[in-house]
Amino acid sequence: MRDMAAPYNKNRSKVACSVCRARKTRCDGAKPKCSFCLENGCVCKYETPPQAGGSSRTVETNIETILTKISVIEKCLSLSRGAGSQSSPALTIGSPDETSTREKEGHRSGRGFASLTIKDDQFAAIIFHTDINLSRHARSLEIHHALEYENSGRGSVAIFRHSPHELGQLFFRHTYNWYPILNKRDIFEKLPLIQNTVCPPSPDSFLLLMVLAIGSLNANDSIGTFQAEEFHAQALSMLGCVLEEVSLRSVQCVILLTIFYGLKFMPMKAQEYISMGSIKMQNLMEIQPVNKSVDDASGDIIYDLEEYETRAFWALFILESEYAGTLHFANTGLFSYAGNIKFPSLREEPYHWTPGSPESLDSSAIDEPDPHFLAEIGVRKIIDRTCYTFNSYSESSNSTTITTTNRRTPFAAIVAKELQSQLDEWYLCLPDSIKFDKSTWYNNNTRHSTRALIRAQYFATVILMYWPCMMEIIMTGGEECQSQEHRDAFKTSIDSYIQLVLCGTSVRLSELPTVWPHAVSIFAMTATIIRMTQRTSLRYDKPDELESSIQRSFAFLEAMIHCSPSIRYFTVILHDLQSQ
């Protein structure tokens, strides 16, 4: 992929376009498009160098560079997908229709690539030597948990209460950093209308009640827990007016419900409302009379959504991909629009206190949204390409037993290295506010959990790139995996696992809207590392750090077992695996 830059190195312009600057190649400076962008169909922009004090502009430029670069990577790798690539590893964001098609084709032909996900029967058979479908079993456990929650009482009345303004600030200080789908000014101006959770049924009222319910959970205390149930119950009483309406407000309401159930460790309820939100979003896009244009460079249809509609789409994209990587998910069709939707800018309308307003906002509540939201979109597009790090293998079409002779997945090391270089380029473009030092062990000194998660995403992506090598070691007992490439991959995967655990377990659970799939990812990767080290003669050079990380993963999962019966079950079988 890197020789694509060769023809464009002859003439150097003093001002390079954003694409050539991101690729660190010379730009001929031609306008309106340089030669490279013209040939490759890229969006060619010449940015003015940032002035002193222009940090916000630097953040926006860096994020735009990340997303532009990802688009180039996608175009280059899309040729491989047409060449018959098989199912991608889990925790990936391939569209649900693509994933289900690949799974069905693999099942019919007796061929398929074992994915690093609890959805995959092969993964369970390889790691745990069981034919239990872990995803479906988790669903059955969580359904009973959800029924118990719905039938439980609401408890006694709390004497002390957090004020609506305080809860609104908690929401914007914590949850809003993950999914900035609301206008702060609009919300804070309407919060005084909520008095004792009694308000007329409408999508606006529902939205405000859910903001307060989530803000109550962010408070992370018993009073907040009580108030969260109170606001949530009042909101559900007016759910009908939200479901019957197709509007941005109704989509935002459903997203907030998804976030609420995510914080409550209720993945099946969250999944249910993600599907509703995805369908609503597509209906909203299609019924608008004038919201389409044609891209001059590619000829593709672009949906010209408003800023908050765009944010709602990408929030659903991230949420659906997160849960679809772990649970069996019906195809909603949302992913088919991803290439035709612009990226959000995250520019905020400033909030100014005016006379008559009940209270002013503190500085922590008026910050612009965390750039994590845009960086997350970028890294997930790279994660989706980790399926290219394996070569095809053959097996007996009528075999039902996994053996080392009929299941071979030769590791495509050269592809893993290329994807690693693309991931590192994405890393170099991260804004300073979420940049991390990937060469040192993680030290939890950040204010928001989004910093820890973006670092965890980086190392999770590296693990997925090397999953085919890890599986090959497990399948062969390491006997045929003694080359230098396998040794390097073995060390890199464990190094990345340790980093993943250090930062992934530092996330504040009270502000992580996707805590259940996040925990399941740590479970699946911990199980893989344990099984791989059991099956090979290769030895890791820092065994104490590895053992400490495994124990840290156990502690992280065990802290959630009172909230989730499926996490309790996963923790038990993980202990059984380790005892072997």
Side-chain angles (χ1 to χ4, degrees):
M1 292 172 63
R2 295 200 180 277
D3 1 20
M4 294 168 59
Y8 310 103
N9 288 342
K10 296 179 180 178
N11 302 313
R12 184 173 184 176
S13 171
K14 292 183 178 179
V15 179
C17 73
S18 59
V19 175
C20 293
R21 188 186 302 275
R23 299 175 67 250
K24 293 182 169 50
T25 57
R26 294 181 179 179
C27 179
D28 61 16
K31 295 183 178 180
K33 284 193 172 187
C34 71
S35 301
F36 176 83
C37 292
L38 184 63
E39 181 171 322
N40 291 277
C42 301
V43 178
C44 190
K45 291 185 179 180
Y46 292 87
E47 303 290 351
T48 305
Q51 304 297 322
S55 59
S56 61
R57 182 57 188 161
T58 301
V59 168
E60 184 177 325
T61 303
N62 285 350
I63 291 294
E64 182 178 346
T65 302
I66 291 173
L67 299 174
T68 302
K69 182 177 305 199
I70 298 304
S71 298
V72 175
I73 295 170
E74 284 188 306
K75 288 183 179 179
C76 293
L77 289 176
S78 61
L79 298 176
S80 301
R81 172 165 291 191
S85 59
Q86 295 155 335
S87 67
S88 59
L91 317 178
T92 67
I93 55 169
S95 64
D97 54 330
E98 288 179 1
T99 303
S100 60
T101 299
R102 279 178 251 165
E103 288 175 349
K104 290 176 183 176
E105 289 176 352
H107 178 72
R108 285 195 300 267
S109 64
R111 299 167 61 86
F113 175 69
S115 304
L116 204 169
T117 172
I118 65 170
K119 290 198 305 183
D120 196 310
D121 292 340
Q122 293 183 43
F123 171 79
I126 292 169
I127 303 299
F128 298 104
H129 300 314
T130 179
D131 58 358
I132 296 176
N133 185 295
L134 298 179
S135 179
R136 292 193 180 95
H137 188 60
R139 175 179 291 278
S140 66
L141 293 172
E142 293 297 339
I143 286 176
H144 292 298
H145 175 58
L147 291 174
E148 290 174 1
Y149 170 78
E150 291 176 353
N151 295 328
S152 63
R154 299 299 175 188
S156 57
V157 177
I159 299 175
F160 171 76
R161 302 174 66 86
H162 298 292
S163 70
H165 185 83
E166 181 185 356
L167 295 176
Q169 287 188 323
L170 286 169
F171 172 86
F172 283 107
R173 190 177 301 124
H174 298 292
T175 298
Y176 189 74
N177 288 313
W178 303 93
Y179 302 105
I181 62 170
L182 303 177
N183 184 301
K184 293 183 182 180
R185 182 190 187 97
D186 179 48
I187 297 301
F188 273 101
E189 286 179 347
K190 292 178 178 177
L191 277 180
L193 302 178
I194 300 293
Q195 297 294 334
N196 299 321
T197 72
V198 176
C199 46
S202 71
D204 277 345
S205 298
F206 186 101
L207 185 91
L208 292 175
L209 288 167
M210 288 310 303
V211 166
L212 295 177
I214 295 171
S216 299
L217 293 179
N218 293 152
N220 200 26
D221 58 29
S222 58
I223 301 299
T225 300
F226 170 81
Q227 287 186 268
E229 301 299 342
E230 190 179 36
F231 289 123
H232 173 244
Q234 179 67 13
L236 286 186
S237 69
M238 55 184 76
L239 181 60
C241 65
V242 171
L243 297 182
E244 69 185 13
E245 184 176 298
V246 178
S247 65
L248 171 61
R249 185 61 91 207
S250 67
V251 171
Q252 291 170 329
C253 288
V254 175
I255 291 175
L256 291 185
L257 263 180
T258 298
I259 292 172
F260 177 85
Y261 286 121
L263 290 168
K264 293 288 291 184
F265 288 85
M266 301 177 70
M268 308 311 158
K269 298 290 289 185
Q271 181 191 38
E272 177 183 345
Y273 286 105
I274 292 170
S275 297
M276 291 183 189
S278 296
I279 297 299
K280 277 184 170 292
M281 188 72 233
Q282 292 170 71
N283 288 337
L284 177 64
M285 292 162 59
E286 295 297 344
I287 66 174
Q288 294 184 7
V290 184
N291 69 341
K292 300 178 184 178
S293 63
V294 178
D295 182 78
D296 295 334
S298 63
D300 295 332
I301 295 177
I302 303 297
Y303 288 82
D304 298 322
L305 305 178
E306 297 295 332
E307 174 63 20
Y308 286 96
E309 292 173 341
T310 303
R311 295 190 195 185
F313 174 88
W314 288 111
L316 285 165
F317 177 87
I318 294 172
L319 285 165
E320 184 168 327
S321 65
E322 184 76 10
Y323 283 95
T326 307
L327 298 169
H328 293 277
F329 212 96
N331 175 26
T332 66
L334 183 78
F335 284 77
S336 62
Y337 291 89
N340 307 94
I341 304 293
K342 64 184 180 180
F343 295 107
S345 69
L346 297 192
R347 287 182 175 271
E348 284 291 337
E349 179 183 356
Y351 179 87
H352 300 290
W353 180 80
T354 55
S357 297
E359 297 176 78
S360 61
L361 294 175
D362 62 30
S363 59
S364 64
I366 60 175
D367 292 340
E368 290 202 349
D370 196 312
H372 162 271
F373 183 60
L374 286 174
E376 180 76 4
I377 297 171
V379 75
R380 284 175 180 274
K381 288 179 175 288
I382 296 180
I383 291 175
D384 191 34
R385 303 302 168 181
T386 57
C387 59
Y388 295 99
T389 60
F390 66 91
N391 294 323
S392 61
Y393 62 92
S394 60
E395 64 173 345
S396 172
S397 59
N398 58 2
S399 173
T400 57
T401 305
I402 297 177
T403 69
T404 59
T405 57
N406 67 358
R407 295 289 179 109
R408 290 299 312 281
T409 307
F411 175 48
I414 189 170
V415 183
K417 289 180 180 178
E418 176 58 27
L419 283 173
Q420 177 72 64
S421 69
Q422 301 294 355
L423 179 64
D424 287 338
E425 288 185 6
W426 168 88
Y427 163 81
L428 291 174
C429 291
L430 288 176
D432 291 339
S433 59
I434 55 176
K435 189 64 122 348
F436 55 88
D437 185 356
K438 58 187 175 68
S439 63
T440 60
W441 291 144
Y442 175 71
N443 181 21
N444 185 19
N445 57 1
T446 58
R447 192 181 78 169
H448 293 304
S449 291
T450 52
R451 315 294 199 278
L453 191 71
I454 204 66
R455 181 185 179 110
Q457 288 282 45
Y458 175 91
F459 290 106
T461 306
V462 175
I463 293 173
L464 289 170
M465 290 175 185
Y466 289 95
W467 158 242
C469 179
M470 300 163 74
M471 188 176 72
E472 190 174 12
I473 292 173
I474 294 169
M475 300 292 293
T476 64
E479 297 172 1
E480 301 175 28
C481 304
Q482 300 294 325
S483 68
Q484 190 58 47
E485 283 183 341
H486 286 89
R487 291 176 183 274
D488 291 343
F490 176 82
K491 183 179 186 305
T492 299
S493 60
I494 298 182
D495 281 344
S496 300
Y497 168 75
I498 293 174
Q499 290 275 33
L500 165 69
V501 172
L502 287 173
C503 46
T505 58
S506 300
V507 176
R508 288 185 68 225
L509 300 185
S510 62
E511 65 180 34
L512 177 59
T514 53
V515 60
W516 189 85
H518 176 67
V520 172
S521 298
I522 290 178
F523 155 76
M525 293 187 177
T526 300
T528 301
I529 292 293
I530 291 174
R531 179 63 78 188
M532 180 179 68
T533 54
Q534 288 175 344
R535 293 280 294 166
T536 181
S537 59
L538 298 174
R539 290 294 173 259
Y540 185 60
D541 57 356
K542 293 188 282 289
D544 291 342
E545 283 86 346
L546 174 57
E547 180 60 27
S548 174
S549 296
I550 292 174
Q551 295 307 316
R552 187 182 180 102
S553 296
F554 276 114
F556 179 72
L557 295 172
E558 286 167 352
M560 304 180 203
I561 60 177
H562 66 286
C563 303
S564 168
S566 59
I567 297 298
R568 182 187 303 115
Y569 171 74
F570 292 150
T571 305
V572 170
I573 63 174
L574 198 58
H575 275 295
D576 290 343
L577 175 63
Q578 188 186 37
S579 66
Q580 299 173 20

